[in-house]
Amino acid sequence: MNRHHWNRVMATGFCLAGLNASGPTAAHPEMVHPDNPLGQTMEQMHRTMTETPISGDPDRDFAALMVPHHQGAIDMARVQLLHGKDPVLRRLAQEIIIEQQAEIELMRLWSAKTGH
């Protein structure tokens, strides 16, 4: 898959997810308010993902893009733990942090092992 085709696939995926070229929060401008830490974490995740070099290798690109995606989820979960009150959501946030950190480590180990 060449870079142009991969970029089209990614753009289609973002559009289907309610995203556009202006970022994930463009459809929800209230998310980018300086007092909204969840919006800030989403903006950082999107920025990091769009800055990640794409190789055209589906395995390499999956691992490379999922690391910032998972880090974004971890950052959002940390915001939940700092500000959230609901015990069910707080427990979910704790689980997300543990599970997604482990998955990031797995992807980094895979990348190191395969030379990607």
Side-chain angles (χ1 to χ4, degrees):
M1 179 180 310
N2 67 37
R3 184 179 176 94
H4 176 72
H5 180 72
W6 179 252
N7 287 341
R8 285 183 41 216
V9 169
M10 292 300 294
T12 301
F14 283 147
C15 289
L16 290 174
L19 309 176
N20 66 30
S22 299
T25 56
H28 302 282
E30 68 279 5
M31 291 292 289
V32 296
H33 190 278
D35 294 332
N36 185 344
L38 285 175
Q40 293 168 6
T41 62
M42 288 183 63
E43 284 294 324
Q44 178 60 43
M45 177 188 70
H46 182 257
R47 189 172 28 261
T48 304
M49 288 179 73
T50 58
E51 292 170 355
T52 299
I54 302 301
S55 71
D57 176 328
D59 294 329
R60 181 179 181 181
D61 294 341
F62 174 78
L65 290 167
M66 287 305 291
V67 168
H69 182 268
H70 278 27
Q71 185 61 54
I74 290 168
D75 295 343
M76 290 178 68
R78 288 183 177 145
V79 169
Q80 171 61 23
L81 290 175
L82 286 172
H83 303 287
K85 307 273 188 270
D86 185 276
V88 172
L89 293 179
R90 290 178 57 78
R91 175 67 182 171
L92 178 61
Q94 291 170 335
E95 292 174 10
I96 286 169
I97 291 169
I98 292 166
E99 292 170 9
Q100 302 233 347
Q101 283 177 332
E103 291 175 6
I104 287 172
E105 184 60 25
L106 176 66
M107 287 181 277
R108 288 185 173 150
L109 288 171
W110 176 86
S111 294
K113 180 180 176 185
T114 61
H116 291 101

